[in-house]
Amino acid sequence: FIVPDAMARRDRRERSALDWLATEPFDARRTVVIEDGPLEGLRLTGIPTSDLGEEARPVPAEVQDLGPNRVRVQARSEHGGYLVLTDMYHRGWRVTVDGETKPMYLADFIFRAVVIPPGEHVVDFIFDPLSIRLGAAMSASAIVFVLLVAFGLPLIVRKKTKQ
C-alpha cells in the first residue's frame, strides 16, 4: 500500500516506530515511520497523523510477482508517497523503481518502504545480500584450492620421485 506521509527516527535515542504504534493515536494508513536509510531530500512530517478512522484508506498496490528472492509490485498514486511492503525488512534487499535503483527504508519497525513519485510505477525488490555473494566466492575459492591440491600434489610428488 502507499501512504502519503512519513516521519523519521533520526537516531536511536528517539522513539521507535513500535513505540509510536503502541502508545499514540497513530494512523499507519497515512503515515509511515522510517527508521533506517538516507533521509536527505525526503518530505517528512514532524509527528504522525492521528487516526482518521475508516475514512482514511491507503492507496493499494498490486503484487505482480512474488518469489523467495524477488517481489514485483505495480504501484499507482496520484500524488506519490511511500510504498510500504508489509513483509520482513532485511539489509540484503535492494529496490528499483522503473529500473532505477532507489534507497530502501526500514519502515514501521519491521517492514520495507520506498519513495515513489506520482504516477504508475513498477517496483522490484530483489534479495541479494552481501553474505551470500561472499559465501559463494569463498566456496568457489575453496573448491579451486582443493582441486589444485588434489591434482597438483600428485604431480609434484611424481616429479620428485623421478629425480
Side-chain angles (χ1 to χ4, degrees):
F1 60 91
I2 302 163
V3 297
D5 299 320
M7 58 178 288
R9 181 179 182 201
R10 297 180 188 278
D11 75 39
R12 297 290 173 198
R13 293 181 301 248
E14 292 183 15
R15 295 173 70 181
S16 72
L18 187 61
D19 187 34
W20 276 107
L21 291 165
T23 62
E24 297 295 325
F26 179 80
D27 194 344
R29 297 167 297 187
R30 293 201 41 81
T31 306
V32 63
V33 180
I34 294 173
E35 297 193 65
D36 188 25
L39 302 176
E40 297 79 31
L42 290 184
R43 185 188 72 219
L44 299 169
T45 62
I47 55 173
T49 307
S50 295
D51 190 343
L52 299 175
E54 288 302 309
E55 293 176 18
R57 297 246 183 237
V59 177
E62 179 185 342
V63 175
Q64 292 185 325
D65 185 23
L66 179 62
N69 297 329
R70 183 169 193 216
V71 179
R72 174 168 277 184
V73 177
Q74 183 76 33
R76 184 179 312 120
S77 174
E78 187 177 321
H79 302 290
Y82 299 84
L83 172 66
V84 179
L85 192 62
T86 56
D87 61 359
M88 196 66 110
Y89 173 90
H90 184 281
R91 290 184 190 272
W93 285 97
R94 295 182 298 109
V95 64
T96 63
V97 177
D98 299 326
E100 185 180 333
T101 300
K102 297 290 184 182
M104 187 179 66
Y105 298 95
L106 172 59
D108 291 343
F109 195 71
I110 59 171
F111 303 137
R112 299 182 248 163
V114 62
V115 176
I116 60 164
E120 189 167 330
H121 305 282
V122 174
V123 181
D124 288 304
F125 292 88
I126 299 110
F127 191 62
D128 186 27
L130 178 62
S131 58
I132 289 179
R133 287 180 285 167
L134 287 174
M138 291 172 63
S139 296
S141 298
I143 289 170
V144 168
F145 177 75
V146 167
L147 291 173
L148 285 174
V149 170
F151 293 109
L153 193 58
L155 291 174
I156 293 171
V157 171
R158 276 193 221 146
K159 243 185 189 179
K160 287 194 177 191
T161 56
K162 286 183 181 179
Q163 292 176 357

